[in-house]
Amino acid sequence: MNTVLLLCASILSAFDITTESLLTEMTSYEESAKKPAIEYVCRQISSHDRRSVSPFQPGWFANDDGSGVERTDTVEGRIEKVMFDEDGPGVITRFWLTTIDKRGTMRFYFDGSKTPGWTIPAYDLMLFGIPELGRGLLLPHTSYKPNGKGGNTLFFPIAYAKHCKITFEDKPGIKQTPKYYAINYRTYKAGTKIETFSKSVASRAAKQIASTDYLLQHPKTVRGGKTMEKSGVLLAGSQMSLSLPEEQKAICEMVIRIDAKKADYAEAIRGLMLCAYFDGDMALKVPVSDFSGAGMGGFAVKSWYLDADGKGEIVSRWYMPYKKSAKIILMNTTGKEVKTIIRVRVVDNKWDARSMYFRVTWKQENRVPLCSSPDSPDMRDWEFTNLRGDGMYKGDVMTLNNHSPKWYGEGDEKIYVDGERFPSHFGTGTEDYYNSSWAPVHIFQTPFGGAPRADEVSSHGYNTFFRTRNLDGIPFSNNLRFNLEMLSWEPGNADIATTVFWYSGQLCDNLYKEPYRPQYHFSPKHSWIGDPSGLVKFGGKYHYYWWGKAESNDLVHYNEVSPMVMNGASRNISYFTGSCAIDKNNTAGFGKNAFIAAYTIYENDTKKQCQGISYSLDGREFHYYDNNPIIDLWSSEFRDPTVFWYAPTKSWVMVVAKAREKKVKFYTSKNMKDWTWTSDFGPAGDSEQAWECPDIFQVSVDGNPNNKRWVLVTSINWNKEQYFIGDFDGEKFTLMNNHPQTPLYVDSGLDYYASRTIRDYDGDMKNVVTIGWVATWDYAQQVPSKFGKGFWSIPRYYELKTYEEGLRLIQKPAEELKVLRDKQIDLNMTLPVGKSSLPSFKPKENVYEIEASFSNLSPGNVFGMNLCVGESRKLVISYDTDSKNLFIDRTNCSAEFIPKFQRTAFSKVPIYRGKLNLHIFVDKSSVEIFADDGRKVFTMQIFPSENQTGIELFSVCKGVKLDIKAWNLKSIWR
């Protein structure tokens, strides 16, 4: 016996990777939180329809997913379809398959051998042939029938040193049927010594195979450590925190218990938010229901990493290391009190070069369109998640409310790793991805996830899928993007929330340094930001609200105060866009100098939109007004109030959009609670699409403070803004004489919306300052920024200026931004014909400012600048002297594909005194161009890679003169 053991030990020590080492890795919570000891890449080969070649070509959503194979071989007269054919060293980590006729033979060829090293007598992994494989490593699907339809998933690792080929031969003479499969595999770096799987290996590892199978079904947490607990009743809008022991520890177990009445349980577990901070930075913020794997409703879960009893107890075995500090927070976002207990066990954990932080990314999007035809122009890939930095993808939860009448998950997953043009993981359907097959799906549980919820046989209504990854985790160095085809049996839509579990070596050290993070535009630390919803100056500070809050002392640098300041509303209510005012005279009775937020109340069940208020005495925590709504027209298209104090009548004024009617409505109030309608304005100007986010303010004409006019701005259908010039008497807005009938647009670019002016309650602002949302709803959710989605423009001054054609609104960058300038670069030159590099100014990153003046402009010329040049991409700024149009072309600028993004903006920009003046601000993922001293402004998102930093000049004709001033700009975050 000792001789045999010594021989086995000798064999195992000769290899870097063996079946036994893989099984050990599979069940090690500690190892799951580390970067791979030996580098590998993870990919997937599947039977997806091979007509899917490119998102830019027909067939991208082709759905004959049981037809795809690598090729067909003839071997000794047999017709063998090649399913998998990959060089090593490698390991198959997951093998999923299904069909309706299993008859035939599956063969595994290893390391170039012409003789199969393993054979299965059917298209059925249940017949794999290792008796120790139980329901931990080999899982039949709910539809599985041994002699009929259905499939299974194998998680037993199959290693190969040099090569592996898998083929299937249909039984001769039978009618061939679709064969669906997906094989996840690792490829290690060359030179890695891997022991190829064989019958002798299976025999040697039999005991460990059996013990691993058992352990996967009966998981045990890491032993030892210190347990900490906190309990209490969380009032509506309150939170409870638990600080953990410091210095090189890891959470090895977390238990959350919720005590709620059965009728309130689903609301409580969904409305209780779990947050975790590791080493000072937020690593997760997610509803407890979704963190548990159960999704909406908080149903039962039983898996390797997570358990939930469906009654209020959740057990997490995710291993969560940290270097110095950790804090767990439970936030009650429901409108009711919740009794809860949180217990955390912490063990010592040495932090080293392989250690990673645990992270959870959560998102929710409602009314996601579902399309029933893969050839429809409405068919789309929906962004499931987009991760940045280095890390390991470890699993996900998809919970949804399916509003279509039938199955929603016909679409394939497409996972892109580190900038791939074609996804290295291309699946065959949603249920296939989640280790099941054949819709509709029934409830099931496995060590690797399952389907905790499926309310109806038709798949209508609430459904949840859940998958975690042990050996099939996906490592990435820069980014991982996961798209899911929105293909269904019948058209409709769904409300979808996704929770992604992953590890990353980057956390707090990378904050504000992430790819595409603006360096001098405001963006929150994490998550989404949309319309500016309250910009005020008071108490010597600028206060910025999006229902989170930031503050600034100088219009340039920002301090994020809170990601959410609103409290007290019921779970059925969402806070939409609005504004903020300072009640200096206590007209509302909430207190002198109270901050009062006015916003649209959106009722999630009825979809009604009405207006409400919340109040705060410190500007940082707002309380919901008990008698909301303050204005209710029982409309679904009534939104985005701007409220301000009108001194001549000592009244509050509200301007609010009646969206589909293309109107704004004016109301007045003495106390912010009781409102009287006074007038409507519109339709006028651009009235083709809905109006939103109105703002109204006074601006000096030609710099004369004694001559002011009122300007009314409305946003239009999610992608542009228009303005009107006139007079306002506190109740009614009227257009000035000879106002143009054609629309006057605020911005000529593609990404400027929902702007708000800063209301000056200190009375010392010398300029009218505005800030807008740099985005459009066409792709706001699909942009590749990892820190979150959305950011705001630089602050701009509004002015009214008289031209030959009349009075026009112009914009200029705020003078305060000049403090960010580095050394000035000056350049005077004549442009050569053709293309040339800009000398002298060569920025290392796309964070800079340029003032460019072009002169000596001849007819028939096209000239300009290329920015963000590199990797065969660029942003083109060109001027046509004949048409007088300025073009901003980003069709080949971005490093990643974004739906509906490849567009060009243009507008007429007249030459003034023989010159074209451009003031350009470039900041990682945006460009803002002020042309003709702000008469025309172009705001556009761009997403160049870090290597696209070149600047070029070009001209068709000779003689164009160029004067340039350029500055690298300092980051406001450093």
Side-chain angles (χ1 to χ4, degrees), residues 576-849:
F576 273 20
T577 300
S579 58
C580 192
I582 308 299
D583 191 3
K584 300 179 74 172
N585 300 313
N586 194 22
T587 62
F590 298 132
K592 186 177 180 180
N593 295 327
F595 289 70
I596 301 180
Y599 49 81
T600 296
I601 296 172
Y602 177 79
E603 296 184 354
N604 298 316
D605 53 358
T606 66
K607 315 304 179 189
K608 186 179 74 171
Q609 298 177 4
C610 51
Q611 312 317 312
I613 58 174
S614 292
Y615 62 94
S616 172
L617 297 181
D618 63 3
R620 295 188 171 200
E621 183 176 2
F622 284 76
H623 306 280
Y624 190 75
Y625 176 50
D626 289 340
N627 292 326
N628 277 333
I630 54 172
I631 305 178
D632 190 355
L633 302 183
W634 289 90
S635 169
S636 62
E637 298 289 342
F638 178 45
R639 55 183 175 266
D640 310 332
T642 289
V643 172
F644 62 97
W645 180 252
Y646 186 72
T649 61
K650 296 182 179 179
S651 300
W652 295 103
V653 174
M654 178 189 292
V655 54
V656 59
K658 202 68 167 54
R660 294 297 173 187
E661 295 178 18
K662 295 90 175 179
K663 293 181 179 180
V664 294
K665 303 182 77 67
F666 288 90
Y667 293 84
T668 62
S669 174
K670 294 295 184 180
N671 60 9
M672 284 281 259
K673 300 173 181 177
D674 304 300
W675 293 85
T676 301
W677 172 82
T678 59
S679 65
D680 287 353
F681 176 81
D686 188 335
S687 56
E688 293 295 318
Q689 304 292 339
W691 287 12
E692 296 185 313
C693 304
D695 194 15
I696 188 170
F697 45 89
Q698 271 189 307
V699 187
S700 297
V701 176
D702 296 324
N704 182 0
N706 298 315
N707 180 18
K708 294 184 177 181
R709 302 302 292 263
W710 285 85
V711 177
L712 174 66
V713 173
T714 67
S715 295
I716 311 168
N717 198 42
W718 299 358
N719 64 3
K720 54 187 173 182
E721 291 186 328
Q722 66 177 332
Y723 68 92
F724 304 92
I725 306 172
D727 295 301
F728 180 66
D729 62 3
E731 295 185 350
K732 184 178 181 180
F733 177 80
T734 54
L735 292 175
M736 68 178 183
N737 293 332
N738 301 317
H739 194 286
Q741 298 298 308
T742 55
L744 300 174
Y745 292 113
V746 174
D747 196 288
S748 299
L750 302 173
D751 297 299
Y752 190 75
Y753 198 69
S755 66
R756 286 281 197 263
T757 49
I758 299 177
R759 299 289 169 177
D760 179 16
Y761 287 91
D762 283 343
D764 59 3
M765 291 179 63
K766 297 179 181 179
N767 299 283
V768 178
V769 180
T770 184
I771 295 175
W773 182 43
V774 182
T776 177
W777 281 105
D778 279 347
Y779 39 77
Q781 299 276 11
Q782 281 76 47
V783 295
S785 52
K786 173 229 175 238
F787 59 87
K789 306 295 183 187
F791 54 93
W792 289 351
S793 71
I794 60 171
R796 307 170 180 184
Y797 297 162
Y798 273 146
E799 298 177 12
L800 284 170
K801 191 171 181 179
T802 304
Y803 295 93
E804 289 183 5
E805 64 270 28
L807 204 56
R808 295 294 184 266
L809 186 69
I810 68 170
Q811 301 175 70
K812 294 184 177 181
E815 291 286 324
E816 287 84 346
L817 293 167
K818 290 181 178 179
V819 301
L820 300 177
R821 289 175 173 175
D822 207 335
K823 180 181 178 181
Q824 179 171 312
I825 303 298
D826 294 282
L827 178 67
N828 308 103
M829 64 179 293
T830 299
L831 299 189
V833 174
K835 184 171 62 178
S836 59
S837 295
L838 176 66
S840 302
F841 184 63
K842 299 185 182 298
K844 293 182 179 180
E845 59 179 352
N846 290 313
V847 184
Y848 56 85
E849 175 188 358

Side-chain angles (χ1 to χ4, degrees), residues 492-526:
N493 60 71
D495 305 330
I496 307 176
T498 62
T499 304
V500 171
F501 306 106
W502 58 298
Y503 285 94
S504 175
Q506 303 172 0
L507 202 62
C508 56
D509 290 343
N510 196 47
L511 186 62
Y512 297 119
K513 300 177 185 178
E514 307 94 334
Y516 307 126
R517 167 78 81 172
Q519 293 300 295
Y520 57 87
H521 292 71
F522 176 70
S523 60
K525 289 181 181 178
H526 306 286

Side-chain angles (χ1 to χ4, degrees), residues 345-363:
R345 189 153 54 86
V346 177
V347 295
D348 291 335
N349 181 83
K350 184 178 180 181
W351 190 275
D352 58 30
R354 292 179 56 215
S355 298
M356 294 191 290
Y357 293 101
F358 178 70
R359 301 192 69 173
V360 179
T361 301
W362 181 81
K363 65 176 281 189

